[in-house]
Amino acid sequence: MNLLLQSSSIKHPASIKITGSKSETNRLLLLQALYPNLVLENTSNSDDSETMLKALTNTHYPSPITKTIDVHHAGTAMRFLTAFFAIQERKDLSDLAEVVLTGSERMKQRPIKILVDALNQLGAEISYEENEGFPPLRIKGKKLTESKVSLPANVSSQYISALLLIAPKLENGLELTLEGEITSIPYIKMTLALLNEIGVETSFENNLITVKSSEVEINSKLITVESDWSSASYWFSIVALSEIGTQISLSSYKQNSLQGDSALIEIYKDFGVETVFNSDNSITISKKQVHNSQLATCNSQLNNCPDIAQTIVVTCFGLGIGCDLFGLHTLKIKETDRLEALKVELIKLGADISVTNESLHLNPSAIINKDIVIKTYQDHRMAMAFAPLALKVPIIIEDAEVVSKSYPTFWEDLKLVGFKMD
């Protein structure tokens, strides 16, 4: 479905309800599968989380059987489920003998060797069905008795979190050494904080992470998932590109968020967006006058929050300012090569942009080409990051339904504030 999107201004004040963080939800769904007494509220309604839930609730079948589980485009599910199924030892004939974990064609191009090697070092039995180092994977669940493993510190934090989430169920816990400079620290700390919240003992000192084995059953415990900051980023972009005085409320968010993408509060101050936390756990974001003259260039290190890079660069382009963004190496292995995709689509709109393997440079531009078709590359963030530009010129979003991966109601929410779409 291609969507023609346009709007000269938005209706405000407006209130938008955003469901739970995909990152928190997927971690908690795995922990709930390991500790069934956990009760979750405000979970994400994203495709990724639905995929996780479906896979985790379908683990018992008549024997003998090998179950194929298809995670489609869900990268987080692929990493987390690889670890989860590696420790599902067969205790009776109703348990799975083996799992084949597969995904879309793009998923089969996304590397997973680092995680598989680490799990196999811990004693897992995981092999490749097609190409070495890539899904699909054949996983035979078993008890893992080894407890020490090392990973390069600059890998996707999802590899690290996958190991940490299963660590309490390892016979001797886990000692994970990260070699080199660590990236995406907030996502690692999110995983550890959620483990702590359910009573698992952890430590993170220098480059060593330790998780204690915990076979103790957890009493019934309610955890409310904070709303997704990545999804909020598109509303920050909309407010930044709107007239002074525009105001939107989003629910529900915490000032002491575990999500790295909450960094957008500080980043968007430079674009005139003020954030106020309200007593009902909502936030109100407002467009204010930008002081000290308009920014010439936005300069941000996004090691800890790469998922908001697309939103930031499109905001800068829409405001006619330049930007230099760094720490983006993990974007090369997402749903698409996000750096190259951004470059191609922004050039079509008239941008002067260059990228490297880990950075992006955008020169200021006063012109935005209208009626351009934005290719989304099966990437939900491409669709949503470019949507706010419709406040400046009409644009066409190709394969608009891709937003269901993380924010299924995105287009409906845009209509609520006055965006027109055909």
Side-chain angles (χ1 to χ4, degrees), residues 297-300 302 308-314 316-317 321-329 331 338-344 346 351-363 386:
T297 301
C298 165
N299 190 313
S300 293
L302 301 179
I308 58 175
Q310 288 150 294
T311 315
I312 293 169
V313 67
V314 173
C316 289
F317 178 66
I321 63 177
C323 72
D324 289 299
L325 304 180
F326 304 94
L328 308 180
H329 60 279
L331 297 188
R338 286 179 172 167
L339 291 175
E340 284 299 321
L342 276 169
K343 178 182 173 182
V344 169
L346 281 167
D352 179 6
I353 180 175
S354 59
V355 300
T356 70
N357 282 334
E358 70 91 38
S359 66
L360 177 153
H361 173 72
L362 175 75
N363 285 318
F386 278 89

Side-chain angles (χ1 to χ4, degrees), residues 32-297:
Q32 186 183 50
L34 297 177
Y35 300 98
N37 285 335
L38 291 179
V39 179
L40 307 180
E41 274 190 353
N42 194 41
T43 54
S44 171
N45 62 352
S46 65
D47 284 355
D48 279 17
S49 294
E50 292 295 328
T51 297
M52 274 286 292
L53 182 60
K54 183 178 178 182
L56 291 167
T57 53
N58 287 278
T59 57
H60 297 279
Y61 297 90
S63 174
I65 193 167
T66 296
K67 178 69 175 176
T68 297
I69 294 176
D70 188 345
V71 301
H72 308 292
H73 304 305
T76 308
M78 174 59 72
R79 279 104 181 231
F80 288 3
L81 292 172
T82 297
F84 175 79
F85 286 117
I87 64 167
Q88 298 306 301
E89 55 182 316
R90 197 172 194 211
K91 296 175 181 175
D92 58 51
L93 293 180
S94 68
D95 290 337
L96 284 169
E98 292 182 333
V99 167
V100 172
L101 197 56
T102 190
S104 65
E105 285 307 307
R106 173 59 182 168
M107 186 60 66
K108 292 179 181 181
Q109 299 166 10
R110 297 177 69 176
I112 199 166
K113 187 175 190 301
I114 290 171
L115 176 59
V116 170
D117 286 352
L119 287 165
N120 284 343
Q121 284 177 45
L122 292 171
E125 286 189 33
I126 306 173
S127 58
Y128 301 104
E129 289 289 276
E130 295 177 12
N131 297 318
E132 180 82 11
F134 299 88
L137 306 174
R138 181 173 292 272
I139 306 168
K140 185 175 182 180
K142 57 184 292 193
K143 177 180 284 190
L144 307 188
T145 56
E146 298 297 320
S147 62
K148 295 183 179 181
V149 72
S150 298
L151 285 182
N154 65 347
V155 298
S156 168
S157 63
Q158 291 177 10
Y159 297 149
I160 298 166
S161 288
L163 296 171
L164 299 178
L165 288 167
I166 64 165
K169 289 294 186 179
L170 302 186
E171 189 171 68
N172 298 302
L174 181 68
E175 287 187 20
L176 174 58
T177 302
L178 301 176
E179 299 171 340
E181 184 179 354
I182 305 171
T183 58
S184 297
I185 289 176
Y187 288 102
I188 299 171
K189 288 185 174 179
M190 174 194 290
T191 304
L192 294 174
L194 293 172
L195 287 170
N196 295 156
E197 190 169 351
I198 67 169
V200 175
E201 187 180 340
T202 71
S203 69
F204 186 4
E205 295 181 6
N206 299 318
N207 280 44
L208 178 64
I209 303 175
T210 304
V211 180
K212 298 292 187 183
S213 179
S214 178
E215 288 299 333
V216 177
E217 283 304 314
I218 294 170
N219 294 327
S220 183
K221 182 176 180 62
L222 173 66
I223 298 180
T224 301
V225 182
E226 182 188 21
S227 292
D228 192 65
W229 278 104
S230 306
S231 296
S233 72
Y234 313 116
W235 295 99
F236 276 73
S237 184
I238 287 167
V239 170
L241 296 175
S242 295
E243 60 191 17
I244 293 170
T246 299
Q247 192 174 88
I248 296 177
S249 293
L250 307 172
S251 61
S252 55
Y253 291 95
K254 304 172 185 174
Q255 271 187 287
N256 57 342
S257 176
L258 299 176
Q259 299 174 53
D261 289 344
S262 62
L264 64 91
I265 293 174
E266 289 300 316
I267 293 169
Y268 272 78
K269 278 182 181 177
D270 288 337
F271 306 143
V273 181
E274 179 184 81
T275 305
V276 174
F277 284 84
N278 304 312
S279 58
D280 63 353
N281 292 327
S282 68
I283 57 172
T284 300
I285 53 177
S286 309
K287 180 62 182 287
K288 304 295 185 182
Q289 182 71 48
V290 178
H291 298 293
N292 302 322
S293 78
Q294 187 73 5
L295 267 180
T297 301

